[in-house]
Amino acid sequence: MTPEIIVQAEALTKQVSSPEGVLTILSDVSMSVRKGETVAVVGVSGSGKSTLLGLLAGLDLPTTGRVILNGTDLSRVDEDQRARVRAGRVGFVFQNFQLLPSFTAMENVMLPLELAGRGVAEQEARLGLTRVGLEDRMAHYPSQLSGGEQQRVAIARAFACRPQILFADEPTGNLDENTGGRIIQLLFDLNRERGTTLVLVTHDREIGTRCERRLELSAGRLVGALH
Amino acid sequence: MRTSSGVVRGPFGWGIALKSISLAWRLLMRQRRAGDLKVVIAALAVAIAALVSVMSFADRLQRALKFQGSELLAADLVVRSPYPAKAEWTAEISRLGLQSAPTVSFRSVVLRDEHSHLAEVKAVGEGYPLRGRVRVAADISGVDAPAGGIPTAGTVWVDGQLLALLNTTVGGQVTLGARRFTIDKVITLEPDRGGEVFAIAPRLMLNIADLPSTQLIQPGSLASYRLLIAGDVVLIDAFRSWMRKRREAGVGLHDASNAQPRFRTALDKGEQFLGLATLISVLLAGVAIARAARNYAQRHLDTVALMRCVGATQGTIVTVFVTQLLVLGTVGGAIGSVIGYVAQQAFVYLLPGLVAGELPWPSLTPAGVGMAAGVITLIGFAAPIILRLRGVPPLRVLRRELGTLPNHIAAVYITAMLTLAALVLWVGRDLVLAGYVLGGSAATILLLWALSLLTLRAVSGLRRRMNVSWRFGVAALARRAGSATGQIVAIGVGVMAILLLTLVRGDILQAWRSSLPADTPNHFLINIQARQLEDITVFFRKYGWPDPQLRPIVRARLIAVNDTPVEAQDFKDAFAQRVVQRAANLSWAESLQSDNKLVAGNWWRDQERALPLVSVEKQYAEALRLSLGDTLRYRIADQEITVTVSNLRSVAWDSFRPNFFLLVPPELLREYPASYITSLHVPRSQTHQINELIKQFPNITDIDVDALLRQVRGLVDRVNLVLEYVFLFTVLAGIVVLYAAMQTTRAERRQEVAILRTLGATQSQLSLGMISEFVVMGLLAGGVGALAAMMVGYGVSEYLLGVPYRFQVGTWLGGVAAAVILVTMAGLLGTYRLWHTSPWHSLRET
């Protein structure tokens, strides 16, 4: 039996207005990701990878086309309903970590669990932080952590809810090579342990090769799908 | 010359300065395109608009109120003298191009057949009154209208009461001295009569040209000469100083500021309130600008770091940002001034009849002050922050946490306070009021700062026990403790200022209302004889009027002070001369009347009921230079009595109750011949009952002050309306403060909302988190701000405005609730858009 599709993009186009006129960032992109799959979206800077990720996760809306995430057509629901679709089911890892500066590491990891109404937030967060090797940094604020440590908090937060799908946007982009390598290893290890679907955006072809499938974007168009 | 580094230097580094200025301009222009500057200019413009509108409106109203004061004087300036105006005076008046009109007042008996009555005669010259209008009616029951001029030769205008007393009508003949006159009109309102209510018998007004033919004014006659003068303020001032230099004995100069004591409360308190409202607008503008400047500096940290990186010196950084501040200050100030002017003008159109007559055009002063205030406030509040930009290390380009602005820079508070003090003194010109406002603000800031930090720490400790939304709000506050304290201080000062204005306005209104209740006496009955007291009481009861409060009057003439005989010419002060010339009304009282206040000495005790003591009104004591323990000798009929000054009183002359300059203990004058005075309220529809009383007791004189009372009430109502609208403007300035305070953390909130949204937070979770943050802020700012407002309000009301202050927990709670609601609403409105913004945009921007 074919695993079911968790996210599907149909003829996505994204345009923005700029002083020079309308700029097309994505043009007629269609793709789908099946449950449990790991997919890398690769391409050079400015090729539209991150924009595609934002659309797939429902963080932004396409100009035309549609995205179906977990069975919901994201263009047909409002911002609040899109948030509900993500709550507890979708995890994120960003290039610039995006931790809440006013929350401790522990509170940051608890956040998605609490937003999804899970009762055992603290226990789960403790386990998650221990798993990423930050058991003695739980009460630290993001500003007191190094870049690598912050990204580990972000990974612990991303997996805290045991999401069905994880979106990662250049997760090593802000880290040195060594740290980046360790972070990617951690990400793939956790992904394997939890059986999560992974959509990873990267300009690093080598990281891309660690995924089961690679989609290449160039100037906003899908130019190749590699297995 | 060219330095080793290759930078072109002019003499004294002007080349660099010019380059920096040009760079500042180019950077500003680029930001303009980026839309970044709009927020700063808008905050500045709105703050200055509020300031300018309040100032120029207050300026116009103050001049209008002065004008109304002039109406009560019938002139802008009155020269009062015991002899006719000297030729030099009138020559100077003509030279200056001012208008003038003479009046002569004296008492004389008016005869008609067998009837006769004492009248207050007033001979008026062409042009009288120069300000305000005399209103007359064709007969006693006729409808009144403004008189077109003055009585024509051979005719007189009289009070309706004189007609009744002489048993005649309009058209009848009366004799005054050696001349017969025809009664032509009935006077219903005489603008400059307010201060004389108790001194007068009914009025008879004639043309001054007819005065010699009466042969009543002879050398040594007791007449009061007034020269009414009106015209341009500057010229009036010129004439005033010219007269003052002449130092003529017995000559008094009167203008609206010392005009009718009966209107003083309304005018004084109104003006003081406008002054306070202006000060508070300056304060609010300052706070708003300080917050806006901080946001501006904060946003430029990266620019500065980059400029430092590519070689800009600290001097260049300072020149660039100070230039930008000056440009911003000027642009914001100019826009604000224009908006302020338009707003206050719109205001005037919205409020026709706000003041009687035309509102004078606004002067340019407020616009000038607005522009200057824009620049000064921006520099004073922002310079210390901008100077900090010098110290931003180039390394910030790599490590963004470096060189952030500290949240509390002592220099900011100090320069801000000094700037504010300078502005407040410049704009308000009232040192004591400025002291209260500044002291209150400083105390509020300190208290808010300390309490905010303590509270934020305390609630931060509780966050583990809160749900995610509350924790989000509280954690956000705790992490931003510095900027949150800054926000709370700004909002708290705003709450303090607005609430202070509300409280003081309430107190003023309350004082007015209680001083002129609906049943304020509108008739005074004088000359009641001791034998009539019972009959009068019976008459009162017949009509269901409350029993009369009869106050005795013993006529006495002052003959010596501290055993030294006194003569009018011993005093330069015109009021003192009149006091010595005229008979005084001595009255007695058991206790102090509520509209009197002891200012020195003690009221008599029971065992002192018959002692020769006297309580003297303050102004009277000042005129005669009396102090406690001085003795005054009076002649009463053919006896003399010496009394010792035991206390001094201030009297609220605008209470419309019988009041006296001199009071003695109740037993002292029991044996002396006294007449009585009483006051009562009679609805206008029942005035005929008063006529009946006069018929039954013909010796009693009725003084109808209904028109005067209506004049005072009308003025109070208009001043009140003005205060309400000025208050509204100040509230607008307060909202700007709130807006500026909320803007401070907008960028951080944007990121937080985006992260929460990404992680699946719903709108209700987001809003609950924010509400919790705003509620804590509102509670703190409102709690302390309202408390400070009550304390400062107490000082301003009790010690400055002289109106009683009532502490009310309800007001405090109201202030706190209003702060919480407003902060929460403003906060939610300011962040509402973020909830609907695509999280992706926000995340990418950070």
Side-chain angles (χ1 to χ4, degrees):
Chain A
M1 187 182 123
T2 322
E4 67 181 281
I5 289 173
I6 188 162
V7 60
Q8 181 165 14
E10 292 174 8
L12 291 185
T13 299
K14 180 70 182 175
Q15 293 176 320
V16 292
S17 12
S18 74
E20 287 78 33
V22 175
L23 200 67
T24 303
I25 301 174
L26 284 181
S27 185
D28 195 26
V29 173
S30 296
M31 57 166 285
S32 59
V33 178
R34 294 176 194 285
K35 259 192 180 166
E37 214 181 354
T38 54
V39 178
V41 180
V42 294
V44 295
S45 290
S47 57
K49 318 181 285 291
S50 293
T51 305
L52 175 62
L53 184 93
L55 295 178
L56 292 176
L59 298 178
D60 198 6
L61 288 177
T63 311
T64 58
R66 63 175 189 160
V67 172
I68 298 164
L69 177 63
N70 254 335
T72 306
D73 182 346
L74 297 179
S75 311
R76 288 175 176 268
V77 294
D78 64 12
E79 194 63 61
D80 219 29
Q81 285 163 307
R82 286 196 289 276
R84 284 180 211 276
V85 170
R86 288 191 294 270
R89 290 190 284 268
V90 178
F92 288 93
V93 179
F94 295 101
Q95 179 178 358
N96 48 3
F97 325 133
Q98 301 290 4
L99 299 177
L100 276 185
S102 52
F103 276 26
T104 59
M106 179 78 162
E107 288 170 339
N108 263 293
V109 179
M110 283 163 67
L111 189 61
L113 292 159
E114 290 177 312
L115 289 173
R118 309 262 174 97
V120 287
E122 194 168 338
Q123 197 187 333
E124 289 279 332
R126 204 176 289 280
L127 282 174
L129 281 168
T130 309
R131 173 66 186 85
V132 298
L134 290 177
E135 58 272 25
D136 50 357
R137 290 276 196 276
M138 292 186 191
H140 285 55
Y141 286 93
S143 58
Q144 298 165 320
L145 299 172
S146 70
E149 286 171 329
Q150 288 189 51
Q151 196 60 301
R152 278 198 261 171
V153 175
I155 290 173
R157 180 178 72 182
F159 283 102
C161 273
R162 301 185 179 272
Q164 296 166 348
I165 183 164
L166 180 77
F167 291 100
D169 181 20
E170 302 273 14
T172 59
N174 270 357
L175 303 170
D176 62 70
E177 201 176 326
N178 271 339
T179 315
R182 285 201 293 273
I183 288 292
I184 278 294
Q185 190 56 51
L186 181 64
L187 186 67
F188 277 98
D189 287 350
L190 271 165
N191 193 59
R192 202 172 41 250
E193 285 168 25
R194 308 277 165 97
T196 314
T197 313
L198 174 69
V199 179
L200 172 76
V201 158
T202 179
H203 64 277
D204 186 332
R205 285 175 177 274
E206 201 185 313
I207 294 175
T209 56
R210 299 180 69 162
C211 291
E212 296 164 0
R213 189 151 65 98
R214 290 190 305 285
L215 302 172
E216 186 162 356
L217 270 178
S218 174
R221 289 178 180 276
L222 267 184
V223 290
L226 307 164
H227 287 276
Chain B
M1 72 183 262
R2 189 171 282 272
T3 63
S4 54
S5 60
V7 176
V8 178
R9 265 185 200 272
F12 314 112
W14 283 109
I16 286 186
L18 283 176
K19 274 178 134 184
S20 305
I21 291 171
S22 132
L23 176 63
W25 180 255
R26 286 198 307 274
L27 285 176
L28 260 181
M29 288 301 105
R30 271 170 222 161
Q31 291 173 67
R32 173 183 60 87
R33 278 197 292 273
D36 187 35
L37 282 183
K38 284 176 194 153
V39 180
V40 183
I41 292 186
L44 194 62
V46 180
I48 298 298
L51 172 64
V52 170
S53 53
V54 170
M55 266 189 73
S56 55
F57 196 65
D59 172 64
R60 294 177 78 176
L61 283 166
Q62 257 162 358
R63 288 193 290 146
L65 291 181
K66 265 208 180 104
F67 188 76
Q68 295 207 325
S70 296
E71 284 191 6
L72 305 175
L73 205 64
D76 294 331
L77 182 71
V78 171
V79 183
R80 199 166 161 170
S81 53
Y83 45 80
K86 292 182 179 172
E88 303 99 277
W89 306 353
T90 43
E92 180 66 11
I93 288 169
S94 313
R95 193 185 70 75
L96 289 168
L98 294 165
Q99 289 174 273
S100 72
T103 71
V104 185
S105 308
F106 56 93
R107 282 185 188 154
S108 184
V109 172
V110 188
L111 304 165
R112 185 194 156 263
D113 303 335
E114 76 281 13
H115 299 282
S116 69
H117 204 276
L118 190 71
E120 282 282 346
V121 179
K122 181 165 175 176
V124 298
E126 203 57 59
Y128 170 86
L130 298 179
R131 298 279 184 244
R133 305 288 276 274
V134 175
R135 290 181 75 86
V136 289
D139 61 64
I140 196 158
S141 54
V143 179
D144 67 347
I150 59 171
T152 51
T155 69
V156 291
W157 298 347
V158 297
D159 277 354
Q161 194 195 349
L162 194 62
L163 292 179
L165 290 166
L166 297 175
N167 200 17
T168 184
T169 55
V170 171
Q173 300 272 311
V174 289
T175 304
L176 182 70
R179 173 88 190 259
R180 279 175 79 82
F181 290 93
T182 306
I183 298 172
D184 186 34
K185 299 257 162 47
V186 177
I187 301 172
T188 57
L189 181 70
E190 191 184 324
D192 49 339
R193 187 132 132 202
E196 298 178 1
V197 170
F198 298 107
I200 55 166
R203 170 69 82 213
L204 179 145
M205 192 182 282
L206 72 153
N207 192 310
I208 205 166
D210 286 340
L211 190 57
S213 62
T214 63
Q215 296 175 19
L216 284 172
I217 299 292
Q218 305 293 338
S221 293
L222 213 56
S224 169
Y225 294 85
R226 286 184 177 84
L227 187 62
L228 312 187
I229 303 163
D232 186 85
V233 180
V234 181
L235 299 175
I236 292 279
D237 280 346
F239 181 74
R240 187 188 286 111
S241 27
W242 181 83
M243 274 302 282
R244 279 202 182 125
K245 277 188 203 132
R246 295 175 62 89
R247 295 172 182 279
E248 309 221 25
V251 174
L253 293 173
H254 301 265
D255 57 24
S257 63
N258 58 6
Q260 313 289 20
R262 258 155 242 298
F263 296 87
R264 278 275 29 112
T265 309
L267 293 177
D268 278 352
K269 307 263 182 287
E271 284 191 19
Q272 276 176 317
F273 182 85
L274 290 178
L276 184 66
T278 312
L279 287 189
I280 281 173
S281 302
V282 174
L283 177 68
L284 292 173
V287 176
I289 289 167
R291 293 315 298 175
R294 199 182 181 288
N295 298 348
Y296 180 69
Q298 187 77 44
R299 276 205 295 272
H300 285 79
L301 289 175
D302 289 337
T303 314
V304 173
L306 202 64
M307 284 169 73
R308 299 275 285 135
C309 235
V310 295
T313 62
Q314 292 194 333
T316 306
I317 302 286
V318 170
T319 315
V320 163
F321 282 94
V322 168
T323 308
Q324 291 193 352
L325 274 191
L326 284 173
V327 174
L328 286 177
T330 314
V331 173
I335 297 176
S337 296
V338 171
I339 298 175
Y341 260 103
V342 173
Q344 62 85 28
Q345 190 58 35
F347 216 48
V348 174
Y349 286 119
L350 286 175
L351 287 171
L354 187 65
V355 290
E358 286 278 298
L359 254 190
W361 274 96
S363 65
L364 280 175
T365 320
V369 174
M371 287 286 292
V375 176
I376 294 173
T377 320
L378 196 56
I379 298 249
F381 279 71
I385 302 174
I386 296 297
L387 288 180
R388 283 278 170 144
L389 288 176
R390 271 185 322 177
V392 173
L395 196 59
R396 185 183 157 89
V397 172
L398 301 176
R399 299 186 59 191
R400 288 200 76 228
E401 69 274 18
L402 291 179
T404 48
L405 290 174
N407 281 300
H408 296 280
I409 306 171
V412 174
Y413 289 111
I414 294 167
T415 50
M417 269 298 170
L418 288 177
T419 311
L420 207 56
L423 272 175
V424 154
L425 288 180
W426 180 33
V427 174
R429 292 182 211 99
D430 187 332
L431 277 173
V432 188
L433 189 62
Y436 274 108
V437 173
L438 286 179
S441 313
T444 311
I445 288 173
L446 279 178
L447 199 61
L448 274 170
W449 181 69
L451 265 182
S452 306
L453 280 184
L454 282 176
T455 313
L456 291 181
R457 272 199 198 138
V459 293
S460 180
L462 296 173
R463 58 201 247 188
R464 291 292 290 269
R465 295 184 207 156
M466 298 170 173
N467 75 20
V468 64
S469 294
W470 275 88
R471 182 177 325 132
F472 167 63
V474 170
L477 264 182
R479 189 186 74 83
R480 286 195 281 265
S483 65
T485 309
Q487 283 179 308
I488 292 170
V489 166
I491 297 167
V493 171
V495 170
M496 189 278 285
I498 303 253
L499 202 61
L500 170 63
L501 215 55
T502 318
L503 289 173
V504 170
R505 186 175 131 261
D507 285 345
I508 290 178
L509 286 186
Q510 187 61 36
W512 280 341
R513 271 193 213 118
S514 57
S515 71
L516 291 179
D519 58 351
T520 301
N522 54 358
H523 284 266
F524 286 83
L525 302 175
I526 62 173
N527 245 343
I528 304 166
Q529 300 305 305
R531 62 185 154 76
Q532 296 174 315
L533 296 183
E534 272 185 31
D535 297 341
I536 286 285
T537 308
V538 169
F539 189 96
F540 269 50
R541 285 180 184 161
K542 186 171 95 183
Y543 285 107
W545 300 338
D547 281 1
Q549 301 290 312
L550 293 149
R551 305 292 307 272
I553 294 177
V554 172
R555 304 281 283 175
R557 187 173 287 275
L558 179 67
I559 51 175
V561 173
N562 292 329
D563 292 327
T564 311
V566 288
E567 297 282 345
Q569 53 267 34
D570 297 342
F571 296 92
K572 278 203 165 163
D573 181 68
F575 177 70
Q577 288 186 342
R578 283 202 305 282
V579 161
V580 177
Q581 275 171 349
R582 290 188 175 182
N585 294 325
L586 291 181
S587 185
W588 58 81
E590 295 267 359
S591 54
L592 198 62
Q593 211 165 279
S594 62
D595 51 355
N596 285 220
K597 218 178 191 173
L598 272 194
V599 292
N602 298 309
W603 193 251
W604 31 80
R605 286 163 298 184
D606 254 4
Q607 60 268 37
E608 295 172 325
R609 292 167 65 84
L611 292 187
L613 301 174
V614 66
S615 166
V616 184
E617 193 265 349
K618 209 174 93 194
Q619 190 198 353
Y620 188 99
E622 278 164 9
L624 295 182
R625 298 189 288 276
L626 297 177
S627 44
L628 296 179
D630 283 348
T631 59
L632 302 170
R633 193 183 314 143
Y634 285 95
R635 178 175 294 128
I636 303 171
D638 55 351
Q639 298 181 57
E640 286 184 9
I641 182 170
T642 302
V643 287
T644 305
V645 178
S646 72
N647 63 63
L648 303 178
R649 282 171 296 130
S650 65
V651 173
W653 291 106
D654 43 11
S655 69
F656 280 78
R657 294 170 68 185
N659 262 303
F660 300 90
F661 284 123
L662 301 159
L663 288 172
V664 297
E667 304 289 337
L668 183 67
L669 298 180
R670 282 280 189 229
E671 302 309 316
Y672 289 82
S675 68
Y676 289 79
I677 174 173
T678 191
S679 62
L680 75 155
H681 176 82
V682 182
R684 289 180 74 193
S685 58
Q686 292 167 23
T687 316
H688 61 277
Q689 293 167 349
I690 290 280
N691 294 339
E692 204 171 306
L693 182 136
I694 300 297
K695 269 188 193 151
Q696 194 176 329
F697 308 97
N699 62 300
I700 293 177
T701 303
D702 162 49
I703 298 167
D704 180 354
V705 291
D706 202 65
L708 181 66
L709 191 59
R710 273 184 281 135
Q711 212 179 348
V712 175
R713 282 220 176 96
L715 183 74
V716 166
D717 285 349
R718 286 198 293 266
V719 173
N720 177 25
L721 201 59
V722 169
L723 302 195
E724 299 224 347
Y725 281 84
V726 167
F727 175 70
L728 264 184
F729 261 59
T730 320
V731 170
L732 274 184
I735 289 172
V736 176
V737 170
L738 199 59
Y739 174 77
M742 287 300 171
Q743 281 296 317
T744 318
T745 48
R746 199 180 148 77
E748 285 175 54
R749 282 182 206 291
R750 197 178 152 90
Q751 185 199 5
E752 287 167 358
V753 168
I755 294 175
L756 286 165
R757 270 297 202 198
T758 304
L759 298 178
T762 59
Q763 193 164 315
S764 59
Q765 286 170 321
L766 282 179
S767 54
L768 189 60
M770 299 231 177
I771 286 171
S772 64
E773 182 182 345
F774 298 135
V775 165
V776 173
M777 276 177 67
L779 274 176
L780 268 174
V784 177
L787 188 70
M790 295 183 82
M791 318 257 258
V792 180
Y794 173 79
V796 170
S797 290
E798 287 279 338
Y799 299 110
L800 207 63
L801 297 172
V803 295
Y805 185 83
R806 291 163 304 130
F807 275 105
Q808 283 174 318
V809 182
T811 316
W812 183 79
L813 285 177
V816 178
V820 170
I821 292 169
L822 275 176
V823 169
T824 308
M825 276 175 53
L828 290 180
L829 275 177
T831 47
Y832 179 74
R833 271 208 318 207
L834 298 180
W835 307 348
H836 297 279
T837 309
S838 137
W840 193 238
H841 286 293
S842 309
L843 289 177
R844 299 205 82 177
E845 276 175 30
T846 56

